[in-house]
Amino acid sequence: MTVRADADRAGAATAVQVEALMEAMRMLQRTMSRLPAIVEARFGLAPNRFQAMVAIEDGASRVQDVATMTWASVSAASRTIDALVQDGLVDRRPDPADRRATLLTLTDEGQRRIEDVHAWRTEWMTEAIDGLGPERTAALIDGLEQFGVQIEDLVEAEHRTARD
């Protein structure tokens, strides 16, 4: 077999693998896209509110930080924060370093609600991977971590291109 034929065969195998990966990701995305509605029904947190609370939990301390971390506009993030403050899930307090700014924190109720969602998702995910066994689970985690590293730069570049 020639080098060209080997390259063609490798290219064809790669195309088949890419299609299989894309189909598996579509199936997973269809299923996972239903989770925000479940979180809203079970825990009373609309997707944008839940994302904002997770951003605050992860260190976002200003509305601009929440907007950046959730890929929302500042005005949309501000409206979401206003609703969370009104619901008693987020507190706004003056920034001692900048009197014009406010800092965001989760209230005790907000923290409890986030912890409830995280606990539910952990239980749910545990049940989902129980059938894989430890070796396949470890391989899945390793593969997803490597894939995430490989694709992250591509996604960021596409996002920058789309904004420009």
Side-chain angles (χ1 to χ4, degrees):
M1 196 167 268
T2 67
V3 172
R4 175 78 177 151
D6 286 342
D8 288 346
R9 180 179 293 160
T14 299
V16 168
Q17 289 173 328
V18 167
E19 269 309 305
L21 176 62
M22 296 288 285
E23 182 54 36
M25 289 175 63
R26 280 190 292 271
M27 181 195 69
L28 185 59
Q29 185 175 20
R30 281 191 304 269
T31 302
M32 298 299 285
S33 70
R34 294 167 37 202
L35 287 179
I38 295 170
V39 168
E40 185 169 9
R42 287 183 68 132
F43 302 98
L45 292 172
N48 62 327
R49 292 181 184 195
F50 177 68
Q51 289 175 345
M53 290 175 68
V54 169
I56 293 167
E57 179 186 42
D58 288 345
S61 60
R62 299 171 188 253
V63 172
Q64 175 64 45
D65 300 333
V66 171
T68 299
M69 291 175 79
T70 61
W71 292 33
S73 68
V74 173
S75 64
S78 183
R79 287 189 303 274
T80 299
I81 297 300
D82 289 343
L84 289 167
V85 168
Q86 186 174 12
D87 290 346
L89 301 172
V90 169
D91 273 334
R92 278 191 168 123
R93 57 184 167 81
D95 182 346
D98 181 355
R99 293 187 330 184
R100 297 170 294 159
T102 59
L103 298 176
L104 305 171
T105 57
L106 295 176
T107 63
D108 290 344
E109 173 61 20
Q111 187 63 46
R112 184 194 61 74
R113 191 91 60 97
I114 285 290
E115 288 170 1
D116 287 350
V117 175
H118 290 326
W120 170 77
R121 288 187 347 177
T122 298
E123 288 175 30
W124 183 84
M125 191 61 74
T126 300
E127 187 175 333
I129 64 172
D130 269 351
L132 294 178
E135 289 178 11
R136 290 178 96 185
T137 299
L140 175 64
I141 292 166
D142 184 55
L144 287 173
E145 286 173 346
Q146 290 179 30
F147 183 69
V149 168
Q150 294 292 327
I151 204 165
E152 185 173 25
D153 290 340
L154 295 171
V155 170
E156 286 300 320
E158 286 295 325
H159 180 68
R160 281 191 300 278
T161 300
R163 286 189 314 209
D164 295 340

